[in-house]
Amino acid sequence: MSLGVLLFLSSGLFLGWSLGANDAANVFGTAVGSRMVRFRTAAVVCTCFVCLGAVLGGAGAAHTLGRLGAVNALGGAFTVALAAALATFAMTRLGLPVSTSQAVVGAIIGWNLYAGVVTSTGALSEIVLSWVLCPVLAAGFAMLVYVVLRRVLESSHVHLLQQDALVRWGLLVVGAFGSYSLGANNIANVMGVFVPENPFADRQVLGVTVTGIQQLFLLGGVAIGVGVLTYSEKVMRTVGNRLLHLSPEAALAVVLAQSLVLFLFASVRLEAWLAGHGLPTFPLVPVSSSQAVIGAILGLGLLRGGRGVRWRPLGGVGLGWLATPLVAGAVSFFLLFFVDNVFDQSVARPVIYRIDQAVVAEWGRQGHDPAALQGLVGTERTNALRLQDQLEAAAGLTRTEARQVIELAEVTPVVIDLGRANLELDLDWLALDQVRAVRSLAGRSFDHRWQLRRALADASPLWRLRPPSPLNRAWNRDVLQKLDHVERVFAADPQP
């Protein structure tokens, strides 16, 4: 890895360090605070399993974060990660277990505003919904686990010393599971913005293919681990002691509840299993481990009738949650301007939006009135927000309709070259019929993303998206990731 690439990734590594320093408390804070597990033991276990979770299970949540805002320049990714890291670090210095997820989301929205990119309301609504569901689910899980655990211990008649040893081991086991879930879910916060501009190539290690994304996530996992080992003790004791006095059994319930919530929002396999059995699924989004653990602690407090909850520290934590995305968004916007204009580093590649006859025809094909766009044929902009305003004012479109037109109008030129198909397509990942479909388009060019995707869908059913439903979500996510791969391989420079 070159020095220049490492420099750009340094802000992500700093964010990973800040996340480790802050969010390790959400896995082992209650165990350390209740003096059932030593800090050094907790830090080592957390570091190892965070790295495993990041590499093996980090792709699902990162995909949703990418839909919120695809930062398309390495300088922009550096700045967004730096803004989120600064906001997280500032809160950590105050001893507050803030939400790194909220910091990253705020920083990405700051980039969207600076680059003139429309924020995906669908992805944003999924993420915001998770901020509500996360503490509520954690509270419910914590109450259920605590009640079951107490009944099991009372009915087992285990000696007090044996019970103490069992709880200690239980805290280590669920802490390891929680660390894995933390790495799988929150690595998207650390390295998600770098995925579109990932500098790593796939490598063969002992006969096993290690993808560039896995290498990127491993680097982020190591950064999280360093944060855990070097700077997490203060926040651990904040979570463990200041909000509610926890017995060892209550600490175990809190850690397990938090771990289950993070796992629910990170596991692709669990989502597919739930959908296959007709059960409700959870969006794969990077949720806040801080919100999960504090929700779990409050759940136990409510189980006691609210007695013993220290509301004053909780108010400070809540204030930190509200301030974090706003601070991160403002810092991101300011730093982007600074990096762009003072250091002359590209923070966003310009994207062209062009309304041509093909866009008008496709708009009509989707059941809309094509006449509404005829007066705008030939319109070309590099700022999606200004085009949105123009579509609303001149064509009388709603906000939702304007965003649909913007998606159709985005210029993403692709030229299918047979030589590049043979050399650069990932033949181990794509199905044989998918590869044949790509090769059948050799020599053709496309100006818009939807044109290529339709041509591939016509050439092979394996390129077709299925109707949106929980059961089809895994299929559609896989197809979209493969389409992104094809577009990157054959991308051409847009012509104004």
Coordinates of all heavy atoms in Angstrom, one line a residue, residues 76-123:
G76 N -12.7 13.1 -0.7 CA -14.0 13.3 -0.1 C -14.2 12.3 1.0 O -14.7 12.6 2.1
A77 N -13.8 11.0 0.7 CA -14.0 10.0 1.7 C -13.1 10.2 2.9 O -13.5 10.1 4.1 CB -13.6 8.6 1.1
F78 N -11.9 10.7 2.7 CA -11.0 11.1 3.8 C -11.6 12.2 4.6 O -11.6 12.1 5.9 CB -9.6 11.6 3.2 CG -8.8 12.4 4.1 CD1 -7.9 11.7 5.0 CD2 -8.8 13.7 4.2 CE1 -7.1 12.4 5.9 CE2 -8.0 14.5 5.1 CZ -7.2 13.8 5.9
T79 N -12.2 13.2 4.0 CA -12.7 14.3 4.8 C -14.0 13.9 5.5 O -14.1 14.3 6.7 CB -13.0 15.5 3.8 OG1 -11.9 15.7 3.0 CG2 -13.4 16.7 4.6
V80 N -14.8 13.1 4.9 CA -16.0 12.7 5.6 C -15.7 11.8 6.9 O -16.2 12.0 7.9 CB -16.9 11.9 4.6 CG1 -18.0 11.1 5.4 CG2 -17.5 12.8 3.6
A81 N -14.7 10.9 6.7 CA -14.3 10.1 7.8 C -13.7 10.9 8.9 O -13.9 10.7 10.1 CB -13.4 9.0 7.4
L82 N -12.9 11.9 8.5 CA -12.2 12.8 9.5 C -13.3 13.6 10.3 O -13.2 13.8 11.5 CB -11.3 13.8 8.8 CG -10.5 14.8 9.7 CD1 -9.7 14.0 10.7 CD2 -9.7 15.7 8.8
A83 N -14.3 14.1 9.6 CA -15.3 14.9 10.3 C -16.1 14.0 11.3 O -16.3 14.4 12.4 CB -16.3 15.5 9.3
A84 N -16.4 12.8 10.9 CA -17.1 11.9 11.8 C -16.2 11.5 13.0 O -16.6 11.5 14.2 CB -17.5 10.6 11.1
A85 N -14.9 11.3 12.7 CA -13.9 11.0 13.8 C -13.8 12.1 14.8 O -13.7 11.9 16.0 CB -12.6 10.6 13.2
L86 N -13.7 13.4 14.3 CA -13.5 14.5 15.2 C -14.7 14.7 16.1 O -14.6 15.0 17.3 CB -13.3 15.8 14.3 CG -12.0 15.9 13.6 CD1 -12.0 17.1 12.7 CD2 -10.8 16.0 14.6
A87 N -15.9 14.5 15.5 CA -17.2 14.6 16.3 C -17.2 13.5 17.4 O -17.5 13.7 18.6 CB -18.4 14.5 15.5
T88 N -16.8 12.2 17.0 CA -16.8 11.1 17.9 C -15.7 11.3 19.0 O -16.0 11.1 20.2 CB -16.5 9.8 17.2 OG1 -17.5 9.6 16.2 CG2 -16.6 8.6 18.1
F89 N -14.6 11.8 18.6 CA -13.5 12.0 19.5 C -13.8 13.1 20.6 O -13.5 12.9 21.8 CB -12.2 12.3 18.8 CG -11.0 12.6 19.7 CD1 -10.4 11.5 20.4 CD2 -10.5 13.8 19.9 CE1 -9.3 11.7 21.2 CE2 -9.4 14.0 20.7 CZ -8.8 13.0 21.4
A90 N -14.5 14.1 20.1 CA -14.8 15.2 21.0 C -15.8 14.7 22.1 O -15.6 15.0 23.3 CB -15.5 16.3 20.2
M91 N -16.8 13.9 21.7 CA -17.7 13.3 22.7 C -17.0 12.3 23.6 O -17.3 12.2 24.8 CB -18.9 12.7 22.0 CG -19.7 13.6 21.1 SD -20.4 15.0 22.0 CE -21.3 15.8 20.7
T92 N -16.1 11.6 23.1 CA -15.4 10.6 23.9 C -14.5 11.3 24.9 O -14.4 10.8 26.1 CB -14.4 9.7 23.0 OG1 -15.2 9.1 22.0 CG2 -13.7 8.7 23.8
R93 N -13.9 12.4 24.6 CA -13.2 13.2 25.6 C -14.0 13.7 26.7 O -13.6 13.8 27.8 CB -12.6 14.4 24.9 CG -11.4 14.1 23.9 CD -10.1 13.8 24.7 NE -9.7 15.0 25.4 CZ -8.6 15.0 26.3 NH1 -8.0 13.9 26.5 NH2 -8.3 16.1 26.9
L94 N -15.3 13.8 26.4 CA -16.3 14.2 27.5 C -16.8 13.0 28.3 O -17.6 13.2 29.2 CB -17.4 15.0 26.9 CG -17.1 16.3 26.2 CD1 -18.3 16.9 25.5 CD2 -16.5 17.3 27.2
G95 N -16.3 11.8 27.9 CA -16.8 10.6 28.6 C -18.2 10.2 28.2 O -18.8 9.4 28.9
L96 N -18.7 10.6 27.1 CA -20.1 10.3 26.6 C -20.0 9.2 25.6 O -19.3 9.3 24.6 CB -20.7 11.5 26.0 CG -21.0 12.7 27.0 CD1 -21.6 13.9 26.2 CD2 -21.9 12.3 28.1
P97 N -20.9 8.1 25.8 CA -20.9 7.1 24.8 C -21.8 7.5 23.6 O -23.0 7.2 23.6 CB -21.6 5.9 25.6 CG -22.3 6.5 26.6 CD -21.6 7.8 27.0
V98 N -21.3 8.2 22.7 CA -22.1 8.8 21.6 C -22.3 7.8 20.5 O -21.7 6.7 20.5 CB -21.4 10.1 21.0 CG1 -21.2 11.1 22.0 CG2 -20.0 9.7 20.4
S99 N -23.1 8.1 19.5 CA -23.4 7.2 18.4 C -22.4 7.5 17.2 O -22.6 8.6 16.6 CB -24.8 7.4 17.9 OG -25.0 6.7 16.7
T100 N -21.5 6.6 17.0 CA -20.6 6.8 15.8 C -21.4 6.7 14.5 O -21.1 7.4 13.5 CB -19.6 5.7 15.8 OG1 -18.9 5.7 17.1 CG2 -18.5 5.9 14.7
S101 N -22.5 5.9 14.5 CA -23.4 5.8 13.3 C -24.0 7.1 13.0 O -24.0 7.5 11.8 CB -24.5 4.8 13.6 OG -24.0 3.5 13.9
Q102 N -24.4 7.8 14.0 CA -25.0 9.2 13.7 C -24.0 10.1 13.2 O -24.2 11.0 12.4 CB -25.7 9.7 15.0 CG -26.9 8.9 15.4 CD -27.5 9.4 16.7 OE1 -26.8 9.9 17.6 NE2 -28.8 9.3 16.8
A103 N -22.7 10.0 13.7 CA -21.7 10.9 13.3 C -21.4 10.7 11.8 O -21.2 11.6 11.0 CB -20.4 10.7 14.1
V104 N -21.3 9.4 11.4 CA -21.0 9.1 10.0 C -22.1 9.5 9.1 O -21.9 10.1 8.0 CB -20.7 7.6 9.8 CG1 -20.6 7.2 8.4 CG2 -19.4 7.2 10.6
V105 N -23.4 9.3 9.5 CA -24.5 9.7 8.7 C -24.5 11.2 8.5 O -24.8 11.7 7.4 CB -25.8 9.2 9.3 CG1 -27.1 9.8 8.7 CG2 -25.9 7.7 9.2
G106 N -24.3 11.9 9.6 CA -24.3 13.4 9.5 C -23.2 13.9 8.6 O -23.4 14.8 7.8
A107 N -22.0 13.2 8.6 CA -20.9 13.6 7.8 C -21.2 13.3 6.3 O -20.8 14.1 5.4 CB -19.6 12.9 8.2
I108 N -21.8 12.2 6.0 CA -22.2 11.9 4.6 C -23.2 12.9 4.1 O -23.1 13.3 2.9 CB -22.7 10.4 4.5 CG1 -21.6 9.4 4.8 CG2 -23.3 10.2 3.2 CD1 -22.0 8.0 4.8
I109 N -24.2 13.2 4.9 CA -25.1 14.2 4.4 C -24.4 15.6 4.2 O -24.8 16.3 3.2 CB -26.3 14.4 5.4 CG1 -27.1 13.1 5.5 CG2 -27.2 15.5 5.1 CD1 -28.2 13.0 6.5
G110 N -23.4 15.9 5.0 CA -22.7 17.1 4.7 C -22.0 17.1 3.4 O -21.9 18.0 2.7
W111 N -21.4 15.9 3.0 CA -20.8 15.7 1.7 C -21.9 15.8 0.6 O -21.6 16.5 -0.4 CB -20.1 14.3 1.6 CG -19.5 14.1 0.3 CD1 -18.2 14.5 -0.1 CD2 -20.0 13.5 -0.9 NE1 -17.9 14.2 -1.4 CE2 -19.0 13.5 -1.9 CE3 -21.2 12.9 -1.2 CZ2 -19.3 13.0 -3.2 CZ3 -21.5 12.4 -2.4 CH2 -20.5 12.4 -3.4
N112 N -23.0 15.2 0.8 CA -24.1 15.3 -0.2 C -24.4 16.8 -0.5 O -24.6 17.2 -1.6 CB -25.3 14.6 0.3 CG -25.2 13.1 0.2 OD1 -24.2 12.6 -0.4 ND2 -26.1 12.4 0.8
L113 N -24.6 17.6 0.6 CA -24.9 19.0 0.4 C -23.8 19.7 -0.3 O -24.0 20.6 -1.2 CB -25.2 19.7 1.7 CG -26.4 19.2 2.5 CD1 -26.5 19.8 3.9 CD2 -27.7 19.6 1.7
Y114 N -22.5 19.5 0.0 CA -21.4 20.1 -0.6 C -21.3 19.7 -2.1 O -21.0 20.6 -2.9 CB -20.1 19.8 0.1 CG -18.9 20.6 -0.4 CD1 -18.7 21.9 0.0 CD2 -18.0 20.1 -1.3 CE1 -17.6 22.7 -0.4 CE2 -17.0 20.8 -1.8 CZ -16.8 22.1 -1.4 OH -15.7 22.9 -1.9
A115 N -21.5 18.5 -2.4 CA -21.3 18.0 -3.7 C -22.6 18.2 -4.6 O -22.5 17.9 -5.8 CB -20.9 16.5 -3.7
G116 N -23.7 18.6 -4.0 CA -24.9 18.8 -4.8 C -25.6 17.5 -5.1 O -26.2 17.4 -6.2
V117 N -25.4 16.5 -4.3 CA -26.0 15.2 -4.5 C -27.3 15.1 -3.7 O -27.3 15.5 -2.5 CB -25.0 14.1 -4.1 CG1 -25.6 12.7 -4.2 CG2 -23.8 14.2 -5.0
V118 N -28.3 14.5 -4.3 CA -29.6 14.3 -3.6 C -29.4 13.1 -2.6 O -28.9 12.0 -2.9 CB -30.7 13.9 -4.6 CG1 -32.0 13.6 -3.8 CG2 -30.9 15.1 -5.5
T119 N -29.8 13.3 -1.3 CA -29.7 12.3 -0.3 C -30.8 11.3 -0.5 O -32.0 11.7 -0.7 CB -29.8 12.9 1.1 OG1 -28.7 13.8 1.3 CG2 -29.7 11.8 2.2
S120 N -30.5 10.0 -0.5 CA -31.5 9.0 -0.6 C -32.4 9.0 0.6 O -32.0 8.6 1.7 CB -30.8 7.6 -0.8 OG -31.8 6.6 -0.8
T121 N -33.6 9.3 0.4 CA -34.6 9.4 1.5 C -34.9 7.9 2.0 O -35.2 7.7 3.1 CB -35.9 10.1 1.1 OG1 -36.4 9.5 -0.1 CG2 -35.6 11.6 0.8
G122 N -34.9 7.0 1.0 CA -35.2 5.6 1.4 C -34.1 5.1 2.4 O -34.4 4.5 3.4
A123 N -32.8 5.3 2.0 CA -31.7 4.8 2.9 C -31.8 5.6 4.2 O -31.5 5.0 5.3 CB -30.4 4.9 2.2

